[in-house]
Structures are given as structure tokens and as C-alpha cells.
């Protein structure tokens, strides 16, 4: 037997392994570079972010409810798997020449550069991590390709392989292993370092803001919201105030923006007589208020839990915007987050002082959690979150609905309208087995800002009537929050379907017509099967 290969060339396996190791090193270097450019600018995040942003309207419904933590990880994993497959294929094709692998890595790198450069709300420096990743990956691949080349000449081992080849193999494996492990270590190190760097130094900044707000409250600068009255919630039911950790969360942020409050500004511009630019000190120098608000997501299914209630602290938005002297022709208040997400709210509501729109800085007496918009977000009682509740807000433009469409309107969701009157059964649990006889049912109902005047509970055929009035819990402030309810039913042994319907403060009964979310909110009476035994 003589030498294995006709010329100096790595096999397919070495080509693929070399390309993968080089790509890992490149991504690791890119993640390190992202420590400079900020959260979400790493090459993988940038591409994943574009994948989310370019999601076609047809799957927007999944995206709006689904871009929670689970699916965020799914998008990143998907990008990594596809990229790794492409890299391995390009590497395997690199026989005599390193060109296919070089071209494949360069193409992926350019995709990252493009993604980083076009990310909404990003700066020109955001392409840096992808450029670093590209250069490092291509350089590493070319070196590994050279190292991996089999050299056919020379003595042959007893198993038929050339001696030189076993040497190059060891050399190649060591270099590729080092590159791959180095890349993974760099990426992991960057992940550990990121939250400790200035842009990620959010924990202490949050505590500082909370302490500042406490001091303002102690100095009487924040008139406290009315306390939750005794009996606002019922035994077995949901708490009136949602613990902040349980407050539902919906956003498109692949990585939660880390906004340093020291550098935060809010610009108010567009169709205004006077532009405003505020920093956090300017904001906190204004009168602060505390307000109970129930916030809900338009994509909430009937009976779903994308609805929560808390005590927001913040600055009234209406007088602040009035100071900018809005043009009466501007029918839209268009707000933008630092991550480029946008929401368009009707000016008629936001500019109305009675509506109570807030630039919120705290939930339940503490600075906003980072994932709920730290340091400043908008809350507009009476609008769904997708057209109002901009987290990490940094820009407000007075404009028209004709001139600009916000993030979700572009993706097929309806422009803002009044919120639907909604209700939910919280206990008994679905398919619960309850003792026959007297059965207690509890739940929540909300119709912000109209309030809830009545809740009825029914069993059996809704057309046959038989609705029973529920007892309503008291609320700390009329209109802007949900209302807890409790009813007693007499259920004979057997299977039953319990349903409920609410009446809003204006006397309108919640519609029983079943409708799924998209383009607007879901409607219909919630139903719950229970078995009495
Ligand atoms: N920057 C930003 N703000 C956002 C969103 C978003 O994706 N990005 N989602 C909105 C939607 S659809 C809702 S329902 C509310 C949810 O607020 P929460 O996550 O604090 O519950 O935030 C709104 N604000
Ligand atoms: Mo939402």
C-alpha cells in the first residue's frame, strides 16, 4: 500500500470540523466584541433578531404571544443549527482549495454584518461584532485547512496510513480543538461578563432608582394610591394585585434591553410646537402619581392569563405632552423603544388628562423590572399593550395614523380601538371534581377604563337563561382595574359547564360571540367544565 491521497488536501471530515471550529472561534470573538457594542449586538443575536423582525404577518399571531422566553431560545437555537449545517457543508466541500469554506463563512459573516447594521434602533458600531466574527472565522479556517492537509509523501505506517498524515492529523485535531473550545469559552465568558459591564450594570441602578423613589415618597412627593380594600379578592380566587414576578410579559426583545438610567433620554417631537428632550432627573422633577392599572394583551385568549394588575408610579403623560404643544391634526402618539419596537396610540386618549396615561417608572413601589421596561415605560389605561405600553421608551412622536404604522399594525393587527369587556373563571380549576351541592365559583372581570358593574354566572344551556348574579369585590379605584367576583351555584351530581359574563360600567354586556385574537382581541364567554360528585 502506498499513500492515501493523491495530493495535499484535508478530507471531508477535517474540512467540516475545521470550518465548525473556525466558526465557533469567530462567534466567540464576536460575542466578546459585543461586550463593547452592547446587549443584543452579538452576531447570533443580530441574525436571530432579524429573523424575528422579518417574521411574515401570517405567523405574527404566533409571534405576538409566542416570543416569550421559550420561543426566544428556539429562534436562537434554530439560527445556530442552520448556520452550523451550512458551515459544515461548506467546510466539507473544501478539498484541494479552501475557497468553499472561506466563502461559506464569509457569507454567514456578511449576513451577520447586514443583520447588525439594519437592526432597528441600532447604531453603526453594531456591525463590529459580526465583522470581528467574520475576520476571525475566515482566518482561522484558512490556517486549519492548511494544517489539515494530508501530506502523502514519506514513510507509511503499518496500517497503511502515511506517517506524516498521522502527525498532521494530531496537529490538526489539536488546533481545531483549541479553536472550537476557545470560541465556546469566549462566548461563555462574554455571557458571564455582559451583565457586569456598564451597559449591563442594571441591578445596582434599579436599586438606586427604587431608593430614590422611596425617598421621594417619604418626602410626600408621591401621593399614595388608595390601598386595595379588604375583600377585593375572594378565598380560592386570584389576588387583586399581581405579584410583580407573576406579572405577564409580552415583548419581541430577543435580549432584554439593558438601559442605563444615567444615559436615558426621552425625545418628544414631530407635529409639535416645541420639541422636548428629558432625562431621568427632568422626569422625576415633575409631579409623580401612583395609579392602579390592569394591563392586558390583545392576544390573550378567552380565559387566558395575559392580564395583570399592579400599582404603577410615574409621571402623567398628558400634561407632559401638552408642554410640547401638539398640533391638533396629530391623531397618533407614536412611541418607540430603545430596541426599535413601536406603538401608536390615539392622541385623543393619551392627551386627555382624565385618561391617566403614565410614563411609569415603578411597579408595586419598586423600579420597573428590566423585562417590564426599566427605566421608563408607557401605560395607557384603556388601551391594549400592543398599541400603547412601550417598554424602554425613548422617543415619542406626534404624528398621524395615516403617516406611520406601528410594529404590530404592519404585521396585521388592528389599529387601536376600545378594549373588550372580558371575564375569566379562576376557580374551580378546569375539569375539577367538586362535591355536589353548593359550589363556589370565583373569577375576574375587566373593562378598562369603563369598569365592571355586574358579573353573572350560568350553568347549562346559555339560551335557557338561568344566570346567577355574582358578588363583586371592591376596587381601590373605579374603572382602570379588574374586579374580582364570587358566585355560589347549586350543582347536582354530574358534568356541568360553568360560564360567566360581565357587564361594563356603561351597562354593556360582554358579547357571547366567540372570536379568536388577530386582528383584534378575543371575545366570548369563558367556560369551564366541572364534575359534581
Ligand atoms: N419595547 C416593547 N414594548 C412593549 C412590547 C414589545 O414587544 N416591546 N410589547 C407590548 C405588548 S404587546 C404588551 S401586551 C405589553 C406587555 O407589558 P408587560 O410585558 O410589562 O406585561 O408591553 C408592550 N410593550
Ligand atoms: Mo400584547
Amino acid at each position: 500500500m502506498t499513500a492515501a491521497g493523491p495530493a495535499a488536501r484535508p478530507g471531508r471530515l477535517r474540512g467540516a470540523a475545521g470550518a465548525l471550529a473556525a466558526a465557533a472561534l469567530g462567534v466567540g470573538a464576536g460575542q466578546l466584541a459585543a461586550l463593547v457594542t452592547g446587549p443584543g449586538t452579538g452576531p447570533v443575536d443580530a441574525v436571530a433578531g432579524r429573523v424575528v423582525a422579518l417574521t411574515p404577518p401570517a405567523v405574527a399571531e404566533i409571534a405576538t404571544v409566542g416570543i416569550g422566553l421559550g420561543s426566544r431560545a428556539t429562534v436562537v437555537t434554530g439560527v445556530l443549527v442552520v448556520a452550523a449545517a451550512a458551515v459544515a457543508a461548506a467546510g466539507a466541500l473544501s478539498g484541494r482549495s479552501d475557497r468553499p469554506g472561506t466563502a461559506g463563512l464569509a457569507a454567514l459573516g456578511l449576513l451577520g454584518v447586514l443583520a447588525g447594521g439594519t437592526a432597528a434602533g441600532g447604531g453603526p458600531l453594531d456591525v463590529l461584532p459580526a465583522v470581528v466574527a467574520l475576520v476571525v472565522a475566515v482566518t482561522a479556517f484558512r490556517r486549519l485547512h492548511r494544517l489539515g492537509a494530508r501530506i502523502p509523501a514519506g514513510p507509511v505506517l503499518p496500517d497503511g496510513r502515511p506517517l506524516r498524515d498521522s502527525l498532521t492529523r494530531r496537529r490538526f485535531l489539536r488546533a481545531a480543538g483549541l479553536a472550537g473550545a476557545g470560541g465556546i469559552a469566549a462566548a461563555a465568558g462574554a455571557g458571564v461578563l455582559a451583565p457586569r459591564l456598564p451597559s449591563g450594570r442594571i441591578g445596582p441602578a434599579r436599586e438606586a432608582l427604587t431608593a430614590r423613589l422611596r425617598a421621594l415618597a417619604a418626602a410626600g412627593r408621591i401621593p399614595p394610591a388608595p390601598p386595595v380594600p379588604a375583600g377585593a379578592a375572594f378565598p380560592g380566587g386570584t389576588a387583586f394585585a399581581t405579584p410583580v414576578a407573576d406579572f405577564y410579559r409580552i415583548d419581541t426583545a430577543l435580549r432584554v434591553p439593558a438601559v442605563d438610567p444615567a444615559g436615558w433620554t426621552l425625545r418628544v417631537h414631530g407635529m409639535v410646537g416645541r420639541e422636548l428632550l428629558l432625562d431621568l432627573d427632568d422626569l422625576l422633577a415633575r409631579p409623580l402619581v401612583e395609579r392602579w392599572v390592569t394591563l392586558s394583551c390583545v392576544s390573550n385568549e378567552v380565559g387566558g392569563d395575559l392580564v395583570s394588575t399592579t400599582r404603577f408610579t410615574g409621571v402623567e403623560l398628558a400634561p407632559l405632552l401638552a408642554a410640547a404643544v401638539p398640533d391638533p391634526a396629530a391623531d397618533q402618539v407614536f412611541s418607540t423603544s430603545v430596541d426599535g419596537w413601536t406603538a401608536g396610540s390615539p392622541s385623543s386618549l393619551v392627551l386627555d388628562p382624565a385618561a391617566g396615561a403614565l410614563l411609569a417608572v415603578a411597579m408595586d413601589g419598586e423600579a420597573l423590572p428590566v423585562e417590564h421596561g426599566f427605566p421608563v415605560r408607557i401605560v395607557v389605561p384603556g388601551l391594549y399593550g400592543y398599541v400603547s405600553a412601550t417598554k424602554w421608551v425613548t422617543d415619542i412622536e406626534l404624528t398621524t395614523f395615516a403617516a406611520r404604522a406601528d410594529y404590530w399594525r404592519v404585521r396585521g393587527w388592528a389599529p387601536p380601538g376600545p378594549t373588550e369587556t372580558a371575564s375569566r373563571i379562576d376557580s374551580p380549576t378546569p375539569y375539577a371534581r367538586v362535591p355536589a351541592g353548593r359550589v363556589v365559583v370565583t373569577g375576574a372581570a375587566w373593562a378598562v377604563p369603563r369598569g365592571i358593574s355586574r358579573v353573572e354566572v350560568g350553568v347549562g344551556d346559555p339560551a335557557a337563561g338561568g344566570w346567577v348574579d355574582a358578588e363583586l369585590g371592591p376596587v381601590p379605584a373605579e374603572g382602570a382595574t379588574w374586579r374580582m367576583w364570587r358566585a355560589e351555584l347549586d350543582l347536582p351530581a354530574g358534568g356541568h359547564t360553568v360560564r360567566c359574563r360581565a357587564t361594563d360600567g356603561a351597562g354593556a354586556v360582554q358579547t357571547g360571540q366567540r372570536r379568536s385574537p388577530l386582528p383584534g382581541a378575543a371575545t366570548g364567554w369563558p367556560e369551564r367544565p366541572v364534575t359534581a360528585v
Side-chain angles (χ1 to χ4, degrees):
M1 287 289 283
T2 50
R9 47 177 297 181
R12 288 191 193 291
L13 212 60
R14 279 192 206 176
L20 280 173
L25 192 65
V27 167
Q31 291 299 108
L32 283 178
L35 291 176
V36 180
T37 46
T41 60
V44 178
D45 278 334
V47 173
R50 290 317 279 167
V51 169
V52 173
L54 298 176
T55 301
V59 286
E61 183 180 5
I62 306 163
T64 186
V65 286
I67 302 296
L69 279 177
S71 46
R72 232 186 296 274
T74 311
V75 177
V76 171
T77 309
V79 166
L80 282 175
V81 168
V82 172
V87 162
L93 289 177
S94 304
R96 197 182 307 269
S97 157
D98 63 16
R99 279 208 198 112
T102 302
L105 287 167
L108 274 176
L110 284 175
L111 209 66
V113 171
L114 208 69
T118 57
L125 212 64
D126 289 358
V127 301
L128 181 79
V131 171
V132 168
L134 191 166
V135 171
V136 169
V138 166
T139 310
F141 175 68
R142 297 177 67 154
R143 298 201 65 156
L144 286 171
H145 188 270
R146 237 174 293 138
L147 275 178
R150 288 201 178 91
I151 297 166
V156 173
L157 293 170
D159 66 0
R161 282 181 303 123
L163 173 63
R164 293 287 300 274
D165 186 40
S166 89
L167 287 179
T168 60
R169 190 168 97 136
R170 206 170 304 154
R171 212 168 49 171
F172 169 80
L173 282 180
R174 202 172 50 207
L178 269 177
I184 291 168
V192 172
L193 274 175
R196 289 169 174 74
L197 289 179
S199 62
R201 205 185 289 138
I202 295 313
R206 261 199 82 222
E207 280 163 32
L209 181 55
T210 299
R212 195 167 163 191
L213 291 169
R214 292 227 169 98
L216 287 170
R221 285 267 333 273
I222 311 178
V228 176
F234 296 99
T238 301
F240 182 85
T242 312
V244 173
D246 299 341
F247 203 98
Y248 84 97
R249 174 186 167 197
I250 292 285
D251 55 60
T252 59
L254 215 54
R255 194 190 287 183
V256 177
V259 181
D260 183 352
W264 177 84
T265 56
L266 176 68
R267 180 171 173 235
V268 179
H269 64 111
M271 298 168 68
V272 295
R274 194 159 70 90
E275 278 201 17
L276 305 177
L277 185 67
L278 296 99
D279 63 16
L280 200 65
D281 290 341
D282 299 329
L283 191 71
L284 297 181
R286 300 182 66 92
L288 288 153
V289 297
E290 256 185 25
R291 187 160 290 152
W292 287 101
V293 181
T294 293
L295 185 65
S296 64
C297 184
V298 69
S299 65
N300 198 26
E301 298 284 351
V302 170
D305 56 7
L306 300 179
V307 51
S308 301
T309 300
T310 196
R311 178 170 52 96
F312 285 102
T313 308
V315 168
E316 301 264 17
L317 192 48
L320 189 144
L321 293 181
V325 198
D327 180 337
D331 60 4
Q332 182 175 223
V333 173
F334 197 88
S335 52
T336 305
S337 155
V338 299
D339 66 358
W341 187 85
T342 57
S345 320
S347 311
S348 54
L349 194 68
V350 177
L351 297 178
D352 176 4
L358 289 182
L359 279 170
V361 291
M363 287 167 74
D364 196 25
E366 294 208 359
L368 297 176
V370 174
E371 61 271 26
H372 290 293
F374 180 82
V376 184
R377 76 172 305 169
I378 297 179
V379 178
V380 184
L383 288 177
Y384 289 112
Y386 80 120
V387 287
S388 66
T390 305
K391 306 192 268 193
W392 317 288
V393 64
T394 187
D395 186 287
I396 296 179
E397 179 185 350
L398 271 291
T399 180
T400 63
F401 280 100
R404 286 195 83 174
D406 66 18
Y407 186 90
W408 285 120
R409 186 141 75 92
V410 169
R411 288 161 179 79
W413 286 83
T419 59
E420 297 288 344
T421 298
S423 57
R424 190 177 73 192
I425 298 171
D426 289 334
S427 74
T429 51
Y431 302 102
R433 296 171 74 79
V434 295
R438 196 190 66 112
V439 172
V440 174
V441 184
T442 72
W446 59 99
V448 181
R450 304 176 298 278
I452 294 294
S453 60
R454 183 183 194 188
V455 173
E456 298 159 282
V457 180
V459 190
D461 181 6
W467 294 97
V468 176
D469 265 296
E471 175 191 350
L472 299 182
V475 287
E478 213 54 59
T481 67
W482 58 15
R483 198 156 183 171
M484 299 303 161
W485 54 263
R486 173 190 188 275
E488 285 181 12
L489 296 174
D490 193 25
L491 295 184
H496 305 279
T497 297
V498 179
R499 62 180 60 81
C500 69
R501 67 178 185 195
T503 302
D504 73 8
V509 180
Q510 175 182 355
T511 177
Q513 200 175 341
R514 285 230 152 234
R515 193 179 72 190
S516 295
L518 189 71
T523 59
W525 298 326
E527 292 187 337
R528 179 146 295 187
V530 295
T531 305
V533 290

